[in-house]
Structures are given as C-alpha cells and as structure tokens.
C-alpha cells in the first residue's frame, strides 16, 4: 500500500510539474527576478495566452468552439443512452419479478423436480416426512457471500439478518447519473422496515471506465430494540467522578459503532 501511495504521489507531482512547464513556455518570465514579495498578493495571475500572436489566439478560439460542439453532441448521446438503458431495463423487469416469485416460493406448485430425482430424494430422507423447503431459502445472502467485495463487508450478525432478505432491486436514474438499490425483507426481529434503500449519485456513470461516486444517501433503519441494532453496540465503562464526586466511580453505558454491512 505504501508503494502504491508513493506511485500515486509521483504521478501527481509529475502532472503538476508538466503543467508548470507548459505554463512557463507561454508566459514571459523575464521580470520574475524583479518581482517584490510584498506586492505578490496584489498581482493578478497572468493570462498564458496574452503573449501569443493574434492568429494563434484565433485558432485556439476555433478549437474552443469545436469542443463546445462536441459537448453538445455528448449531452445528446447521454440523454439517448439513458433512455435506452431505461427501455431495456423495462424489458427485463418481468424477468426480475418472476425471479423474485421463484425465490419466495410463489411458483413452487408450477416448478417441480423430475420424478426420478424426487424418488431419490425421498429415499435419502428415509422416514422423515418433512415438507420440502419453500422457494430458495437464503438465496440472496448466499449470492452476496459469493461477491468478494460485498462478502468482505458482512459480519456473522449481518448474515443472520440477511437471511430474511427476499429481493434486491436496482432503479437507475432517468438521466443515467446514478441509481438506487432497494433491499426487500420479510418480517424479522431486527427492524420494522420492509424495504431498506440507498441512493448513489454517479455523474459520470455512463461516460467513464471508472465512475466516481459523488454522494451516497441511505434510509433510516427502525431497529426493533437496542439489542438488535447491528451498527452499534452498548458498552459499559467506568468513569471517575470529579469535583464534589471526586473519588467516586460510576458505570456509564455508551453506544459504540461497530462494523456492519448496514
């Protein structure tokens, strides 16, 4: 990590030096030695183009105009691409709804295993006539556990809570500059919310290989009681009294943040 940070610092330094060299090549610095430190705050930053020949300035102006035209085209492209994303997201929506029904067990009667596998399953169960599981239990928590970046955020307590997760939905912004995630839960002992949501603002989501997250906004979780709150734990600490209570020791309870996916 230290080598990586040093490498990043070196790249930033190189970029800054490059900019300084480019600026110096356009600005006449013959009077730098005569500058007065006391007047440096009053001096305005020189325009690097003021010493260029008029014909060069005109050509740069044309480049600026071309860049503006390109920006207008890119804005149109982003609008059309965002609309295209919405179109195909809508086409996929029935598939996502059916997936949720299968996971929840709403289609158990319509989806049955082949007879030969059912017979083999009955033999394995022996005399235990337990009813088959409904839907696909723990589907989403298992899926999240197989995603390396997400799995690193999960604690054992998180996993127990996420077993009540029934569906995850993603809703893209109409302008394509972000999205919202919705986590749907069945009734559980942890919180009363049926849906937990989180919004992600990513202005360059459609135009960059590495989108930059601008803002994240989550919802309020209505924990059932302090004991089921996964983001904080209650700790007891001894505190020595002051003033007229000097010498006395009392026990105080405090909320201490702890690691959690939530």
């Amino acid at each position: 990590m230290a080598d990586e940070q040093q490498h990043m610092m070196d790249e930033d330094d190189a970029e800054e030096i490059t900019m300084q060299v480019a600026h110096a090549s356009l600005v006449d610095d013959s009077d730098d030695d005569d500058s007065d430190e006391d007047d440096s705050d009053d001096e305005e930053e020189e325009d690097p183009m003021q010493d260029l020949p008029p014909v060069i300035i005109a050509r740069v102006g044309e480049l600026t105009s071309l860049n503006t035209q390109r920006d207008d085209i890119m804005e149109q492209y982003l609008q059309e691409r965002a609309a295209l994303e919405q179109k195909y997201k809508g086409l996929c929506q029935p598939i996502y709804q059916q997936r949720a029904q299968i996971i929840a067990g709403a289609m158990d009667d319509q989806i049955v295993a082949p007879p030969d596998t059912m017979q083999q399953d009955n033999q394995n169960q022996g005399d235990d006539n337990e009813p088959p599981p409904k839907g696909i239990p723990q589907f989403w928590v298992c899926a999240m556990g197989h995603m390396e970046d997400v799995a690193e955020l999960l604690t054992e307590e998180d996993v127990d809570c996420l077993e009540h997760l029934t569906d995850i939905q993603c809703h893209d912004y109409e302008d394509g500059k972000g999205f919202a995630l919705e986590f749907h839960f069945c009734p559980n002992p942890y919180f009363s919310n049926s849906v937990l949501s989180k919004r992600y603002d990513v202005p360059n989501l459609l135009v960059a290989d590495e989108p930059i997250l601008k803002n994240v906004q989550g919802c309020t979780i209505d924990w059932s009681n302090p004991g089921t709150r996964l983001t904080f734990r209650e700790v007891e600490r001894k505190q020595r009294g002051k003033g007229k209570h000097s010498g006395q020791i009392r026990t105080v309870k405090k909320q201490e943040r702890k690691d959690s996916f939530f």
Side-chain angles (χ1 to χ4, degrees):
M1 178 61 73
D3 293 339
E4 182 180 355
Q5 291 178 345
Q6 183 62 46
H7 178 64
M8 294 173 63
M9 291 175 62
D10 291 343
E11 289 182 346
D12 292 340
D13 292 343
E15 183 177 355
E16 182 178 355
I17 292 173
T18 303
M19 293 298 294
Q20 291 177 353
V21 172
H23 183 269
S25 66
L26 295 175
V27 178
D28 183 6
D29 58 355
S30 59
D31 297 329
D32 285 349
D33 295 336
D34 299 329
S35 61
D36 189 350
E37 291 183 0
D38 295 336
D39 297 331
S40 60
D41 294 338
D42 298 332
E43 293 180 355
E44 294 184 0
E45 186 175 347
E46 295 184 9
D47 183 358
M49 295 183 60
Q50 67 180 3
D51 295 326
L52 295 177
V55 66
I56 298 297
I57 295 177
R59 292 166 184 168
V60 172
E62 285 298 317
L63 293 181
T64 302
S65 178
L66 292 175
N67 190 68
T68 300
Q69 294 178 43
R70 177 189 178 279
D71 289 343
D72 293 339
I73 294 174
M74 288 301 299
E75 182 62 29
Q76 182 180 355
Y77 158 75
L78 291 177
Q79 293 176 3
E80 294 183 5
R81 178 173 172 181
L84 192 64
E85 295 274 355
Q86 290 291 321
K87 173 185 175 180
Y88 282 93
K89 186 68 178 291
L91 293 175
C92 291
Q93 198 60 35
I95 297 175
Y96 298 147
Q97 293 173 352
Q98 188 172 357
R99 177 185 65 186
Q101 292 176 347
I102 294 174
I103 294 172
M107 300 183 66
D108 285 357
D109 295 338
Q110 304 175 40
I111 305 174
V112 296
D116 54 342
T117 59
M118 290 290 292
Q119 183 178 2
Q120 181 65 36
D121 187 51
N122 292 333
Q123 292 177 355
N124 294 336
Q125 290 182 359
D127 297 332
D128 297 335
N129 294 323
E130 296 182 1
K134 185 177 180 180
I136 307 178
Q138 304 177 359
F139 172 85
W140 284 109
V141 68
C142 289
M144 295 169 67
H146 282 82
M147 298 176 63
E148 184 176 351
D149 292 339
V150 177
E152 294 177 352
L153 305 175
L154 302 179
T155 67
E156 291 186 8
E157 290 180 321
D158 292 336
V159 171
D160 293 338
C161 179
L162 290 171
E163 289 181 357
H164 302 279
L165 183 60
T166 60
D167 195 19
I168 299 178
Q169 299 179 8
C170 178
H171 302 281
D172 297 328
Y173 294 178
E174 290 187 1
D175 60 4
K177 296 182 180 181
F179 58 92
L181 292 179
E182 289 186 354
F183 298 82
H184 293 250
F185 288 84
C186 63
N188 62 82
Y190 292 90
F191 42 76
S192 60
N193 310 67
S194 60
V195 179
L196 300 181
S197 62
K198 203 165 191 178
R199 296 176 60 86
Y200 299 83
D201 298 335
V202 191
N204 65 335
L205 184 60
L206 299 181
V207 294
D209 294 334
E210 296 184 1
I212 299 176
L213 185 62
K214 180 181 179 182
N215 184 52
V216 178
Q217 182 179 359
C219 67
T220 300
I221 302 178
D222 300 321
W223 300 102
S224 300
N225 59 71
T228 62
R229 194 178 185 185
L230 300 177
T231 53
F232 286 85
R233 58 170 162 262
E234 190 176 81
V235 295
E236 294 185 353
R237 293 182 178 177
K238 293 184 178 181
Q239 189 177 76
R240 187 178 299 276
K242 297 180 180 180
K244 63 179 181 179
H245 299 292
S246 179
Q248 299 180 4
I249 298 178
R250 62 174 182 171
T251 301
V252 296
K253 294 182 179 180
K254 293 186 176 182
Q255 295 292 324
E256 186 177 84
R257 184 177 292 276
K258 61 179 180 180
D259 293 336
S260 173
F261 172 77
F262 296 90

